[in-house]
Amino acid sequence: MNTINQRPFTVFVEGNIGSGKTTFLEHFHQFEDITLLTEPVDEWRNLKGWNLLDLMYKDPKKWAMTFQSYVSLTMLNMHRKAIPTPVKLMERSIFSARYCFVEQLLRNGSLHPAQFAILDEWFNFIQHQIPIEADLIVYLKATPAVVYDRIKKRARSEEQCVPLCYLENLHQLHEDWLINKTLGECPAPVLVLDADLDHSEITEEYKRSEHQILRKAV
Ligand code: DCP
């Protein structure tokens, strides 16, 4: 158990849409002393009956700002959530929201520079005023064409309009943020896993991260 005043070892799981973040978190269900915080996609799909994810994909120029501001709120809620275990494993973070998605939406014209400026100000305010803990980032690195096929197969209705070039651009933003370190701030060391592997091989790959994550739980 976590002792008083000792903060949990906090891990963000990052990677493109469809890179297997949820499956990665599920792998850690078997272990005690870890709290898994999955991304609040269900909240994004149902805020008082409104499907913000769907609105954003159908009309990004109108809804990207609204959607990303709600993403920030729900992610911040996850960052601030008190947990009873020594390890906290989170799907994504406010950092990937800002450096990958908001950045991409600015570059493709879905966000007006003035809207971007507001989201950026909020991000900077949060970063400076609210402690966001980060000890390790697990980057599920995947080829855009591979995640494109997975997204088609899983058929989440809102995402069927996502083109390959959107995933290629998001991939490059993850690379620039986490590997090339040319974009924003990378808040923790990065462990890169091969997320192209299929179901039969991926468990072995996930196991490569167990040592770094679990040693904090013993
Ligand atoms: N999304 C977004 N802006 C964000 C975060 C997510 O537009 N700041 C969108 C992209 C996807 C959906 O929300 O359509 C969920 O994306 P994720 O990549 O975060 O989650 P997945 O469910 O795709 O993860 P995985 O398949 O890796 O488990």
Side-chain angles (χ1 to χ4, degrees):
M1 288 292 283
N2 208 7
T3 52
I4 291 169
N5 294 333
Q6 211 182 355
R7 69 172 188 80
F9 184 79
T10 302
V11 183
F12 303 157
V13 184
E14 302 283 3
N16 211 338
I17 305 171
S19 58
K21 296 177 291 299
T22 306
T23 317
F24 181 86
L25 261 76
E26 279 164 8
H27 173 79
F28 284 86
H29 260 306
Q30 59 185 303
F31 302 109
E32 290 178 1
D33 287 341
I34 298 190
T35 299
L36 308 175
L37 297 181
T38 49
E39 198 173 41
V41 181
D42 289 344
E43 291 173 41
W44 307 343
R45 298 172 99 184
N46 183 4
L47 173 64
K48 303 191 174 168
W50 299 104
N51 186 338
L52 298 179
L53 185 67
D54 195 47
L55 290 168
M56 196 256 319
Y57 277 126
K58 285 203 169 117
D59 191 350
K61 283 202 176 204
K62 184 168 178 188
W63 289 101
M65 164 84 186
T66 309
F67 178 72
Q68 292 300 334
S69 66
Y70 188 55
V71 168
S72 295
L73 176 65
T74 56
M75 292 307 308
L76 185 58
N77 194 22
M78 277 170 71
H79 284 296
R80 300 299 299 143
K81 207 176 182 91
I83 57 148
T85 58
V87 178
K88 178 177 182 177
L89 200 53
M90 276 185 61
E91 188 173 359
R92 288 206 183 279
S93 61
I94 60 159
F95 296 95
S96 52
R98 166 63 186 83
Y99 297 136
C100 301
F101 287 94
V102 169
E103 191 70 27
Q104 154 104 322
L105 292 164
L106 171 73
R107 292 184 188 185
N108 73 13
S110 299
L111 283 174
H112 187 283
Q115 295 174 315
F116 169 80
I118 293 171
L119 291 171
D120 193 44
E121 287 286 300
W122 267 112
F123 175 76
N124 291 331
F125 174 82
I126 290 166
Q127 234 192 333
H128 291 117
Q129 302 296 331
I130 304 174
I132 304 284
E133 287 135 13
D135 297 293
L136 178 70
I137 295 176
V138 175
Y139 172 33
L140 302 180
K141 180 174 172 138
T143 307
V146 170
V147 295
Y148 181 77
D149 285 345
R150 284 188 197 148
I151 291 168
K152 290 283 159 213
K153 280 193 193 119
R154 82 174 169 199
R156 192 183 270 158
S157 59
E158 297 88 346
E159 292 170 347
Q160 290 316 293
C161 58
V162 174
L164 178 58
C165 64
Y166 191 83
L167 300 170
E168 287 169 343
N169 294 337
L170 267 180
H171 172 73
Q172 193 54 50
L173 288 163
H174 280 85
E175 290 283 304
D176 289 345
W177 172 43
L178 297 173
I179 306 288
N180 304 325
K181 314 259 175 38
T182 52
L183 178 67
E185 179 211 343
C186 184
V190 179
L191 172 68
V192 184
L193 298 185
D194 180 356
D196 280 352
L197 300 171
D198 67 20
H199 266 307
S200 61
E201 303 161 307
I202 201 74
T203 307
E204 282 308 306
E205 185 66 4
Y206 288 167
K207 280 184 178 164
R208 288 212 296 122
S209 69
E210 282 177 11
H211 173 68
Q212 281 192 52
I213 295 173
L214 294 173
R215 72 195 161 105
K216 306 294 172 183
V218 294

